[in-house]
Amino acid sequence: MKVCEVMTAPPVCVAPRVPLVEVTRRMAECAVGSVLVVENGALRGIVTDRDLALRGMGGGMAPEAPVDAVMSAEVVTVDADDDLQVAYRAFRRTEVRRLPVLDGGRVVGVLTIDDLFLDVFRRLGDLLGPVAWSVLQEPPGPTSACGGPRVL
Amino acid sequence: MKVCEVMTAPPVCVAPRVPLVEVTRRMAECAVGSVLVVENGALRGIVTDRDLALRGMGGGMAPEAPVDAVMSAEVVTVDADDDLQVAYRAFRRTEVRRLPVLDGGRVVGVLTIDDLFLDVFRRLGDLLGPVAWSVLQEPPGPTSACGGPRVL
Amino acid sequence: MKVCEVMTAPPVCVAPRVPLVEVTRRMAECAVGSVLVVENGALRGIVTDRDLALRGMGGGMAPEAPVDAVMSAEVVTVDADDDLQVAYRAFRRTEVRRLPVLDGGRVVGVLTIDDLFLDVFRRLGDLLGPVAWSVLQEPPGPTSACGGPRVL
Amino acid sequence: MKVCEVMTAPPVCVAPRVPLVEVTRRMAECAVGSVLVVENGALRGIVTDRDLALRGMGGGMAPEAPVDAVMSAEVVTVDADDDLQVAYRAFRRTEVRRLPVLDGGRVVGVLTIDDLFLDVFRRLGDLLGPVAWSVLQEPPGPTSACGGPRVL
């Protein structure tokens, strides 16, 4: 199984000089936790919501500061054609939770650790067979609220 | 979560003097891989299909030999009221794959390692949320045969 | 198994009027992704690094704005004494990834979705027995860098 | 990741005319639950300990009967070169728990469902990182007996 079969594509990208506040808007709109920083089709870095908070606001930067001031320029990447195994290994050896996916040097997607948790779940379901479905206690779709956990 | 919420009940039981060949029939009828050996409500042992083959046929026993000749008399058990954690620990520390479940000394069920693989799967599904359903690639019910693995 | 056996304690807490920028520092120091907002021992809300970025900086707030302006005041909680099952259900039914843990109304810890992924892993390891260790490919401690994934 | 990276090799094989009682001995010696039936290098079938008990003893066969009388002649197989994904799919779509592995038509190994449970465990460990080790509660090697589950 290849990275390109599981990745999310296309990725959400911004240019290096885009202001931090604009990046927060893209993250909210696209419901993502990280954005790739790309220039002329080449990956320059990655920035997470945590980077914006801790390095941006925490570092005393103005909301108009450019995103390349807080991005991580050292990025662990995988190739679209790589076996998924390469991505598992990357998550084991690093602290990152998202891997930009390249194809011939061009950014084509993102693979998150959550994508691979789903891969693990699917594999486990394969091994357990049809009975696996019977233990999933709530159907897909909006979940019922009754009898749930306490809300403050 | 308690053992009694996950166990299979009632268990398939036979008396100690039941012939091996009769036990093979009960296993086939009930589609189980092990049978509890019970006398006057008390657990005397457990016998698996493997025991019937290796200790029974392999040990030169006649099909009319009594099941207590091949059963395991040392049985790891759990209580119906035990936290599921006790069962996980039992599987970690022993080689067994089935645990008879007792309630006040009386046999009330069996907990198999497959029941707990399903418990693990359900927990993982809980953590992943509704999106988990989307990755299960075949619906419940008879599975499609097309495009499947090779059959000799 | 109870929530208090798996939760992280004590939790990182701040008062409602603490400035956003101070919260970013606490998150960095303590290496956490969320902080509980507590007043006179009572839970008032929770704030994540994402809230600071998207609602704080993205909402045009100054770094000196008080944290209660961006926190989530509706918080799903569990009790320290609850069976872990209650926490699994909470994660299934909500989008949250952290649950403050209460004991008699007082905040005593936090249970994250990552704590429960570890719980799932431990259970699976229990079922697989000692052989499970043999497949974990790298020892604990700093991981080797050689032969790893590409770094930009 | 390919089937040949995870399979057990070489497989335990017997000829079609080997007596059932001899097969039980091979299973005991090699600590396996199934044996491949092979003739002139070609796979003819597979036989499990359960087949020996239920079809053999349960079917009234003598211990000297040949194994091909109880083996399953329809066997789901995978190729050594197949992506592991093919094996997951085979387990999802069939009831089998062992897949003979072929290489150019020749039998070279067996892939069991337990091999893939270990694969799932390893992947989950990769995603959780070094902290995963800390939750595995007992070291490799002989497990401690104290404080364990009840033994009858």
Side-chain angles (χ1 to χ4, degrees):
Chain A
M1 207 172 199
K2 289 178 182 303
V3 164
C4 56
E5 298 175 61
V6 178
M7 70 181 185
T8 300
V12 181
C13 298
V14 295
R17 309 307 294 173
V18 164
L20 300 182
V21 68
E22 174 59 22
V23 178
T24 65
R25 282 185 205 129
R26 294 296 304 277
M27 285 186 178
E29 272 166 34
C30 304
V32 294
S34 69
V35 165
L36 304 185
V37 182
V38 174
E39 191 174 28
N40 301 327
L43 183 65
R44 293 287 173 236
I46 186 170
V47 64
T48 67
D49 44 18
R50 183 172 178 85
D51 295 333
L52 294 172
L54 272 58
R55 296 185 195 160
M57 181 184 282
M61 289 191 194
E64 296 74 30
V67 67
D68 63 2
V70 303
M71 73 181 187
S72 297
E74 285 219 341
V75 189
V76 182
T77 65
V78 287
D79 270 6
D81 233 33
D82 278 339
D83 190 288
L84 220 46
Q85 216 40 48
V86 176
Y88 277 101
R89 205 178 305 131
F91 286 119
R92 184 174 75 236
R93 296 188 177 176
T94 68
E95 301 270 300
V96 303
R97 300 177 71 96
R98 292 108 172 167
L99 299 168
V101 182
L102 304 183
D103 184 4
R106 203 171 42 95
V107 181
V108 294
V110 172
L111 190 73
T112 71
I113 201 166
D114 286 342
D115 293 329
L116 293 193
F117 276 122
L118 281 170
D119 179 60
V120 165
F121 178 72
R122 187 181 44 69
R123 286 172 196 266
L124 198 51
D126 283 351
L127 299 184
L128 296 173
V131 70
W133 292 75
S134 67
V135 301
L136 295 181
Q137 295 175 343
E138 311 229 333
T143 53
S144 133
C146 59
R150 294 162 203 81
V151 176
L152 190 70
Chain B
M1 206 171 198
K2 289 176 182 302
V3 164
C4 57
E5 299 175 60
V6 177
M7 71 181 183
T8 300
V12 181
C13 298
V14 295
R17 309 305 294 172
V18 164
L20 300 183
V21 68
E22 174 60 23
V23 177
T24 64
R25 283 186 204 128
R26 294 296 302 279
M27 283 185 179
E29 272 167 34
C30 304
V32 293
S34 68
V35 165
L36 304 185
V37 182
V38 174
E39 192 173 29
N40 301 326
L43 183 66
R44 293 288 173 237
I46 187 170
V47 64
T48 67
D49 44 18
R50 183 170 176 87
D51 295 333
L52 294 172
L54 272 56
R55 296 184 194 161
M57 180 184 283
M61 290 190 193
E64 297 75 31
V67 68
D68 62 3
V70 303
M71 74 183 187
S72 298
E74 286 217 344
V75 189
V76 181
T77 65
V78 287
D79 271 5
D81 234 32
D82 278 338
D83 189 287
L84 219 47
Q85 216 40 46
V86 175
Y88 277 99
R89 203 178 305 131
F91 286 118
R92 184 174 75 235
R93 296 189 177 177
T94 69
E95 300 272 299
V96 303
R97 299 177 72 96
R98 291 108 170 167
L99 299 168
V101 181
L102 304 183
D103 183 5
R106 202 170 43 93
V107 181
V108 295
V110 172
L111 189 73
T112 70
I113 201 167
D114 286 341
D115 293 330
L116 293 194
F117 276 121
L118 281 170
D119 179 60
V120 165
F121 178 73
R122 187 180 44 69
R123 287 173 196 265
L124 198 51
D126 283 352
L127 299 184
L128 297 173
V131 70
W133 292 76
S134 66
V135 299
L136 295 180
Q137 295 175 343
E138 311 228 334
T143 53
S144 134
C146 60
R150 295 161 202 83
V151 176
L152 192 69
Chain C
M1 206 170 199
K2 289 177 183 303
V3 164
C4 55
E5 299 176 59
V6 178
M7 70 182 184
T8 300
V12 181
C13 299
V14 295
R17 310 305 296 173
V18 165
L20 300 182
V21 68
E22 173 60 24
V23 178
T24 64
R25 282 184 205 131
R26 295 296 304 278
M27 285 185 178
E29 272 166 33
C30 303
V32 294
S34 68
V35 165
L36 304 186
V37 182
V38 174
E39 191 174 28
N40 302 326
L43 183 65
R44 294 287 173 238
I46 188 171
V47 64
T48 66
D49 44 17
R50 183 172 177 84
D51 295 333
L52 294 172
L54 273 58
R55 296 184 194 160
M57 180 184 284
M61 289 190 193
E64 297 74 31
V67 67
D68 63 1
V70 302
M71 74 181 187
S72 297
E74 286 218 343
V75 189
V76 181
T77 66
V78 288
D79 271 4
D81 233 32
D82 279 338
D83 190 288
L84 220 47
Q85 217 38 48
V86 175
Y88 277 100
R89 205 179 304 130
F91 286 119
R92 184 173 75 237
R93 296 188 177 176
T94 68
E95 300 272 300
V96 302
R97 297 176 75 95
R98 291 106 171 169
L99 299 168
V101 181
L102 304 183
D103 184 4
R106 201 170 44 93
V107 181
V108 294
V110 171
L111 190 73
T112 70
I113 202 167
D114 286 341
D115 294 329
L116 294 193
F117 276 121
L118 281 171
D119 178 60
V120 165
F121 178 72
R122 187 181 44 70
R123 287 171 196 266
L124 198 51
D126 284 350
L127 299 184
L128 297 173
V131 71
W133 292 75
S134 66
V135 300
L136 295 181
Q137 295 174 343
E138 310 229 333
T143 55
S144 133
C146 60
R150 293 161 205 81
V151 175
L152 193 66
Chain D
M1 206 172 198
K2 288 177 183 303
V3 163
C4 57
E5 298 176 61
V6 178
M7 71 181 184
T8 299
V12 181
C13 299
V14 295
R17 309 306 294 173
V18 164
L20 301 182
V21 68
E22 174 59 22
V23 178
T24 65
R25 281 184 205 130
R26 295 295 304 278
M27 284 185 179
E29 272 167 34
C30 304
V32 293
S34 68
V35 166
L36 303 186
V37 182
V38 173
E39 192 173 28
N40 302 327
L43 183 65
R44 293 288 173 237
I46 188 170
V47 64
T48 67
D49 44 18
R50 184 173 177 85
D51 295 333
L52 294 172
L54 271 57
R55 297 184 195 162
M57 181 184 282
M61 288 189 193
E64 297 76 30
V67 67
D68 63 2
V70 303
M71 73 182 187
S72 298
E74 286 217 343
V75 189
V76 181
T77 65
V78 288
D79 271 4
D81 234 32
D82 278 338
D83 190 288
L84 220 47
Q85 217 40 45
V86 175
Y88 277 100
R89 204 178 306 131
F91 286 119
R92 183 173 76 235
R93 296 188 178 177
T94 69
E95 301 271 298
V96 303
R97 298 177 73 96
R98 291 109 172 166
L99 299 168
V101 181
L102 304 182
D103 183 5
R106 202 170 44 93
V107 180
V108 294
V110 172
L111 189 74
T112 70
I113 201 167
D114 286 340
D115 293 330
L116 293 193
F117 276 121
L118 281 171
D119 178 60
V120 165
F121 178 73
R122 187 180 44 69
R123 287 172 195 265
L124 198 51
D126 283 350
L127 299 184
L128 297 173
V131 70
W133 292 76
S134 67
V135 300
L136 294 181
Q137 295 175 343
E138 311 228 334
T143 54
S144 132
C146 59
R150 295 162 202 83
V151 176
L152 192 68

